[in-house]
Amino acid sequence: MVIKNVCCIGAGYVGGPTCSVIAWKCPDLRVTVVDKSEMRINQWNSDKLPIYEPGLDEVVMECRGRNLFFSLDIDTAIRDADLIFISVNTPTKTYGVGKGRAADLKFVESCSRKIAQVATGPKIVVEKSTVPVRAAESIINILTANTRPGISFQVLSNPEFLSEGTAIEDLLNPDRVLIGGEESEGGAKAIEELSWIYQHWIPAKKILTTNTWSSELSKLASNAFLAQRVSSINAISAVCEATGADVSQVAEAVGHDSRVGPKFLQASVGFGGSCFQKDLLNLVYIAECLNLPEVANYWQQVINMNEYQRSRFAKRIVECLFNSVTDKPLAVFGFAFKKNTGDTRESPAMYVCSHLLEEGAHLNIYDPKVAPDQILQDLTSAAMTSEPERVKRLITICDDPYEAVKEAHAIVILTEWDEFKSYDYNKMLLQMKRPAFVFDGRRILNHSALIDLGYHVETIGKRFTRNALVRNAATRQHWHRLQRQKVARNNIHHIMH
Ligand code: NAD
Ligand code: UGA
């Protein structure tokens, strides 16, 4: 088979960028990305794409209408395709067996059924979504149970390793491409066909081939290892705060060991994103089902540490603001789960904000890329609050960071957007209540400069001794206020008796 037509089911964060790059690098292929969401397809066909990724607009604008198409006509795209990527979402199950842990494969299954139903010729079906080990077995079973004469299917696993915010860069120059297939002549042939597509721009030595199950498990294992590194450095950050060590110095020292390496050692307010937690939960669930409780507990701890990190930071904000944020305006900078994306799925910002809202704080939230509706939707969702109307009243979405700081007691940094580093913090300070605090959950600001300006700075994995001056002044002020209130109360008591 010579592949001419490629179809991708699922026009999301993976399907859209991946197929745009394939179309760009393979002008000899016709690539059609389909989705059941009319809104998403319309956005892919408009000037404002549904997702923000540096470099994506340029690639799409060059290929769209030439050899890249976004369509709602799923049946035709499947029928015409030689190779079909399944790039649909595989979220954590919210119901039934495995609720809250197992991956929900209903969308993958419905794609398989659709392919079986409409295919009129042989197809290579590629599982690009992240799935549990042996998920391809179900796809094969559905396809073979529905096979008609003259139609054959080969199912491959080809997990995606791109990161949001650097998707185009990752797709153009990946560390590796992984393709798993059946250990048979047909399987090897299909692997070769898919490799041929990638070899348009990726050196053959970067294309790894394995059996199907190794490929599926490698994807879960990769995300688990990455998340584990973040949780490991975050665990160390708590020790730093308690001892006076500085987590970036520790990370640098540890990362200099070539066996460890320097990447993914940035302590933070916790990892977010649609996949780390979902894939870890999936791995935990698989281990439990395989009767491997020690393995399950081991990976569960990575999630527990992440939850601890988020809530530790939120509690520290309240504690530093004299144990109460009720009715206090706080400026929140950043809501996306990382910089250079508008994606808020599992963003640590959501959890920190939710804790502060629960305590009654007024949040002025600014993010350069997240749509205001998305922030409101996230913070008022049933998973975050049982009082959506109250929460709504406590939130102001700002389109200017200088607006957000007016009368605020603190600035809380929750995403590492580069622009946050270049703000005029002196100008901001003049608009804020005193003492003015900065809580840097991403360790991106120049802390000593902020302290010199007069801010009280708190960050992850470091204690500032010079803060003590501000802290003492703040505590003194607070103590005097309490004394005045006590005297007033006593006076009232005397008058009444
Ligand atoms: P997404 O939610 O952004 O996109 C999935 C799309 O699939 C949606 O637009 C949805 O409408 C569509 N869809 C679902 N069922 C469909 C059906 N039956 N027919 C047609 N369209 C259908 O998800 P995503 O972030 O692109 O992730 C997709 C998969 O890739 C997941 O398994 C995820 O774990 C994995 N992954 C994601 C990333 C990432 O950075 N987001 C990276 C690597 C792997
Ligand atoms: C991650 C993986 O990096 C990708 O390889 C994978 O394909 C993808 O998940 C997926 O399967 O969805 P992504 O979630 O887009 O990519 O972004 P990352 O750069 O991995 O960051 C994840 C979270 O960890 C972010 O909240 C980030 O701020 C945080 N992080 C990352 C840290 O706190 N410290 C670090 O050192 C690195």
Side-chain angles (χ1 to χ4, degrees):
M1 185 200 288
V2 176
I3 295 172
K4 292 195 185 74
N5 276 307
V6 170
C7 161
C8 173
I9 311 179
Y13 285 86
V14 167
T18 307
C19 284
S20 300
V21 167
I22 291 178
W24 191 40
K25 289 290 174 185
C26 310
D28 48 338
L29 291 180
R30 182 187 165 90
V31 182
T32 308
V33 187
V34 293
D35 204 290
K36 62 183 180 185
S37 159
E38 193 174 347
M39 193 176 79
R40 264 217 163 150
I41 291 299
N42 287 343
Q43 286 172 323
W44 279 110
N45 282 321
S46 75
D47 287 339
K48 190 167 177 348
L49 303 183
I51 60 176
Y52 171 70
E53 271 299 336
L56 177 65
D57 283 28
E58 292 81 347
V59 176
V60 171
M61 298 315 158
E62 191 174 328
C63 306
R64 199 172 61 191
R66 185 189 72 187
N67 68 330
L68 174 65
F69 302 91
F70 295 94
S71 165
L72 281 166
D73 188 353
I74 300 176
D75 291 17
T76 305
I78 290 175
R79 213 170 288 127
D80 290 348
D82 307 307
L83 183 144
I84 303 161
F85 287 109
I86 298 180
S87 284
V88 296
N89 38 334
T90 49
T92 304
K93 264 186 98 175
T94 53
Y95 56 88
V97 179
K99 177 179 171 179
R101 286 174 312 150
D104 194 341
L105 295 180
K106 68 179 178 206
F107 301 121
V108 173
E109 180 178 336
S110 75
C111 290
S112 315
R113 291 192 181 279
K114 179 58 103 179
I115 295 168
Q117 181 203 333
V118 304
T120 52
K123 313 273 173 212
I124 297 173
V125 177
V126 184
E127 187 186 68
K128 192 159 258 312
S129 300
T130 305
V131 289
V133 204
R134 298 196 81 92
E137 204 163 33
S138 318
I139 303 177
I140 295 165
N141 285 341
I142 290 167
L143 294 175
T144 44
N146 292 282
T147 305
R148 278 162 280 149
I151 306 182
S152 63
F153 295 104
Q154 270 298 327
V155 178
L156 299 177
S157 158
N158 171 221
E160 184 48 62
F161 294 103
L162 68 79
S163 299
E164 288 178 33
T166 53
I168 300 299
E169 211 179 299
D170 295 341
L171 287 162
L172 290 177
N173 188 22
D175 286 344
R176 80 305 210 179
V177 167
L178 180 58
I179 306 177
E182 195 181 282
E183 290 168 308
S184 66
E185 201 186 316
K189 192 89 197 71
I191 290 176
E192 221 174 273
E193 303 277 8
L194 181 56
S195 296
W196 170 79
I197 294 182
Y198 286 114
Q199 279 178 43
H200 280 70
W201 77 99
I202 295 165
K205 66 174 188 311
K206 278 194 174 181
I207 301 175
L208 311 182
T209 58
T210 64
N211 76 32
T212 316
W213 323 130
S214 303
S215 171
E216 289 176 331
L217 182 56
S218 300
K219 173 62 194 175
L220 292 183
S222 296
N223 273 359
F225 272 54
L226 291 170
Q228 181 208 44
R229 277 177 77 100
V230 179
S231 276
S232 296
I233 198 67
N234 283 343
I236 295 297
S237 76
V239 181
C240 289
E241 287 160 37
T243 58
D246 177 340
V247 75
S248 44
Q249 293 174 352
V250 177
E252 191 176 353
V254 172
H256 258 79
D257 187 325
S258 59
R259 295 167 300 178
V260 178
K263 293 183 181 166
F264 259 73
L265 286 179
Q266 173 69 41
S268 67
V269 62
F271 61 73
S274 62
C275 295
F276 276 1
Q277 176 160 310
K278 157 178 88 75
D279 295 346
L280 277 162
L281 286 167
N282 190 358
L283 189 58
V284 168
Y285 184 69
I286 291 169
E288 277 173 8
C289 293
L290 295 171
N291 200 19
L292 302 167
E294 288 79 4
V295 178
N297 290 342
Y298 175 77
W299 290 112
Q300 179 63 45
Q301 199 50 37
V302 176
I303 303 172
N304 296 351
M305 181 52 61
N306 198 47
E307 287 169 0
Y308 170 69
Q309 188 74 351
R310 292 188 309 228
S311 77
R312 203 166 73 79
F313 187 68
K315 283 180 187 157
R316 189 155 146 216
I317 296 172
V318 179
E319 215 175 280
C320 289
L321 293 173
F322 315 106
N323 285 314
S324 170
V325 290
T326 313
D327 289 334
K328 289 183 183 168
L330 308 178
V332 172
F333 288 178
F335 200 77
F337 82 95
K338 63 185 282 199
K339 72 172 178 180
N340 292 338
T341 176
D343 194 353
T344 63
R345 291 178 290 180
E346 288 302 323
S347 177
M350 204 154 59
Y351 292 93
V352 173
C353 287
S354 183
H355 183 98
L356 298 173
L357 291 164
E358 190 65 27
E359 292 287 335
H362 287 265
L363 301 185
N364 303 333
I365 305 174
Y366 168 76
D367 187 288
K369 284 289 173 210
V370 180
D373 285 356
Q374 185 65 52
I375 300 177
L376 279 179
Q377 192 185 311
D378 287 343
L379 291 174
T380 55
S381 71
M384 284 296 138
T385 182
S386 54
E387 301 171 291
E389 287 311 316
R390 175 183 159 272
V391 162
K392 225 179 261 175
R393 284 195 297 275
L394 292 172
I395 300 172
T396 308
I397 312 288
C398 304
D399 54 14
D400 176 355
Y402 293 89
E403 275 298 311
V405 298
K406 275 189 186 151
E407 299 296 313
H409 290 248
I411 296 170
V412 182
I413 311 272
L414 295 177
T415 311
E416 73 280 24
W417 285 102
D418 288 336
E419 66 171 65
F420 297 167
K421 297 182 207 166
S422 55
Y423 292 166
D424 183 344
Y425 284 95
N426 196 20
K427 185 171 158 195
M428 287 186 171
L429 184 64
L430 299 175
Q431 319 236 48
M432 293 176 67
K433 285 263 197 283
R434 304 300 171 91
F437 287 74
V438 168
F439 297 95
D440 185 355
R442 294 292 186 161
R443 298 182 55 93
I444 54 166
L445 301 184
N446 181 341
H447 300 138
S448 46
L450 289 173
I451 292 171
D452 287 347
L453 286 177
Y455 282 100
H456 177 113
V457 178
E458 296 282 332
T459 191
I460 302 279
K462 187 173 179 178
R463 261 191 339 213
F464 294 100
T465 40
R466 275 198 294 152
N467 265 341
L469 292 172
V470 184
R471 193 199 298 251
N472 288 344
T475 316
R476 259 199 318 276
Q477 260 181 20
H478 189 58
W479 186 83
H480 284 307
R481 200 165 42 242
L482 287 178
Q483 290 308 308
R484 280 198 300 275
Q485 282 167 1
K486 209 162 136 192
V487 170
R489 266 202 309 274
N490 282 343
N491 287 345
I492 291 169
H493 188 80
H494 283 309
I495 293 164
M496 292 183 72
H497 296 88

